[in-house]
């Protein structure tokens, strides 16, 4: 299918003008709230910044609207911060504008991929159970039921993957 799901989501977010505009706006809000005391965004500001980003992105970016119904959690924020600031020491972490965008892409990419994975785990077993139930009634043969379940699972996975653009 080409790119992995996370790379596909990441590229989609990076190329979205709405996403970049929202990142710039929230970044500037963070600087204003700290009264420009720091040359960027500090880690303690990231959870509320992510929540403001979600509010801004939810109605305008289809990827967020379809897959991220609530703001990313503190755990997802911390994980994304760790990835973006892997070379900095704990006391000196301050995210500049570009680093903040990298952080935002990372945290929302993680949220989208996690949500899509949950959707797969919900849809595939239910559909497979339905196919097996029909197969038990009709009795077409074990191989045909297994092939139908495999085709269904592949179709669901493809549908979810394609919607990540």
């Amino acid at each position: 299918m080409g790119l992995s799901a996370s790379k596909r989501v990441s590229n989609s977010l990076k190329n979205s003008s709405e996403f970049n505009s929202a990142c710039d706006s929230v970044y500037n809000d963070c600087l204003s709230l700290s009264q420009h005391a720091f040359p960027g965004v500090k880690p303690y500001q990231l959870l509320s910044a992510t929540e403001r980003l979600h509010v801004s992105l939810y109605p305008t970016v289809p990827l967020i609207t379809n897959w991220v119904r609530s703001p990313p959690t503190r755990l997802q924020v911390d994980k994304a911060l760790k990835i973006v600031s892997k070379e900095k020491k704990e006391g000196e972490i301050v995210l500049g504008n570009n680093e903040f965008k990298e952080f935002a892409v990372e945290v929302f990419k993680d949220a989208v991929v996690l949500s899509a994975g949950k959707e797969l785990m919900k849809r595939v077993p239910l559909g497979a159970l339905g196919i097996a139930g029909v197969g038990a009634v009709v009795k077409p043969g074990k191989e045909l039921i297994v092939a139908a379940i495999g085709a269904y699972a592949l179709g669901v996975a493809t549908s979810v993957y394609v919607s990540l653009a």
Side-chain angles (χ1 to χ4, degrees):
M1 284 190 215
L3 292 174
S4 71
S6 61
K7 286 183 182 176
R8 188 175 175 104
V9 171
S10 183
N11 288 339
S12 227
L13 291 174
K14 287 177 185 176
N15 295 329
S16 168
S17 60
E18 293 92 355
F19 184 81
N20 288 316
S21 175
C23 285
D24 289 337
S25 176
V26 170
Y27 177 80
N28 289 328
D29 286 348
C30 288
L31 291 180
S32 293
L33 288 171
S34 67
Q35 299 176 346
H36 296 276
F38 313 110
V41 177
K42 296 287 272 181
Y44 75 87
Q45 296 175 293
L46 292 176
L47 183 61
S48 65
T50 304
E51 290 168 352
R52 287 195 308 274
L53 264 174
H54 183 266
V55 166
S56 171
L57 296 171
Y58 190 76
T60 60
V61 178
L63 198 56
I64 304 301
T65 306
N66 294 335
W67 295 108
V68 187
R69 305 233 188 281
S70 59
T73 64
R74 166 61 84 183
L75 187 63
Q76 290 170 311
V77 168
D78 291 345
K79 180 181 169 189
L81 176 62
K82 188 179 279 188
I83 290 169
V84 170
S85 65
K86 57 187 164 246
E87 291 148 17
K88 295 184 176 190
K89 289 188 171 65
E90 185 65 35
E92 63 183 47
I93 297 176
V94 177
L95 301 181
N97 195 8
N98 290 334
E99 291 169 315
F100 181 74
K101 283 182 186 176
E102 283 179 50
F103 162 79
V105 166
E106 188 64 37
V107 75
F108 281 100
K109 173 190 73 172
D110 183 50
V112 168
V113 170
L114 181 69
S115 181
K118 284 181 182 177
E119 188 65 22
L120 273 176
M121 292 296 125
K122 187 170 60 177
R123 283 188 196 175
V124 171
L126 289 174
L129 191 61
I131 292 169
V134 170
V137 172
V138 178
K139 298 181 184 181
K142 190 187 280 186
E143 295 81 21
L144 189 59
I145 292 172
V146 170
I149 290 172
Y152 173 77
L154 181 62
V156 169
T158 301
S159 168
V160 168
Y161 178 78
V162 167
S163 72
L164 294 177

